[in-house]
Amino acid sequence: MAVSTITETYALYAGGKIGVIQEFYVIPEFRCSGVGALLIEQIRSYGQRRGWSCLELCTPPLPEFERTLSFYQHNGLMPVGGRKMRQNLAING
C-alpha cells in the first residue's frame, strides 16, 4: 500500500542527528485513506526514539506537487526554503 525510504544523518544547522525521507509513495487507490498519514507518524515515532532533532524531505516547487505539499503540511512538515540540486554521476556507454 505504501513505502518510504529514510536516512539518518547529521546536520550542523540542526545540532545533531536528523532524519531525511528520501522517498515516500502511496499506491493511488490508497491515497486519502489515512495510510500515508499513518506512515508519516511511524517515521516520526522512529525518529523520536532515535533522537532526531527534525525530519526533512524535499518536494519540487512545481504546480503538480501542490497536492503533495498540502499532504505533508497537513501532517506537520513545513516548507523551509531551498531547492533540490543534483549532479548525475553515471557513466554512459
Side-chain angles (χ1 to χ4, degrees), residues 7-22:
T7 298
E8 179 177 280
T9 190
Y10 293 82
L12 293 175
Y13 65 84
K17 289 193 291 187
I18 67 169
V20 178
I21 296 175
Q22 296 176 304

Side-chain angles (χ1 to χ4, degrees), residues 4-54:
S4 182
T5 59
I6 57 175
T7 298
E8 179 177 280
T9 190
Y10 293 82
L12 293 175
Y13 65 84
K17 289 193 291 187
I18 67 169
V20 178
I21 296 175
Q22 296 176 304
E23 296 191 64
F24 191 94
Y25 182 78
V26 177
I27 295 171
E29 54 267 23
F30 289 97
R31 293 177 186 165
C32 298
S33 71
V35 170
L38 181 61
L39 184 52
I40 291 262
E41 181 53 39
Q42 292 296 310
I43 295 167
R44 183 181 298 116
S45 178
Y46 177 79
Q48 288 170 334
R49 290 191 310 272
R50 299 280 306 155
W52 296 348
S53 63
C54 66

Side-chain angles (χ1 to χ4, degrees), residues 55-57 69 72-81:
L55 179 61
E56 296 183 349
L57 61 82
L69 181 62
Y72 288 130
Q73 288 178 303
H74 181 74
N75 285 280
L77 290 118
M78 301 318 259
V80 293

Side-chain angles (χ1 to χ4, degrees), residues 66-87:
E66 284 301 316
R67 185 170 175 233
T68 302
L69 181 62
S70 178
F71 165 78
Y72 288 130
Q73 288 178 303
H74 181 74
N75 285 280
L77 290 118
M78 301 318 259
V80 293
R83 301 232 184 235
K84 184 176 188 175
M85 299 179 77
R86 172 183 296 134
Q87 180 180 25

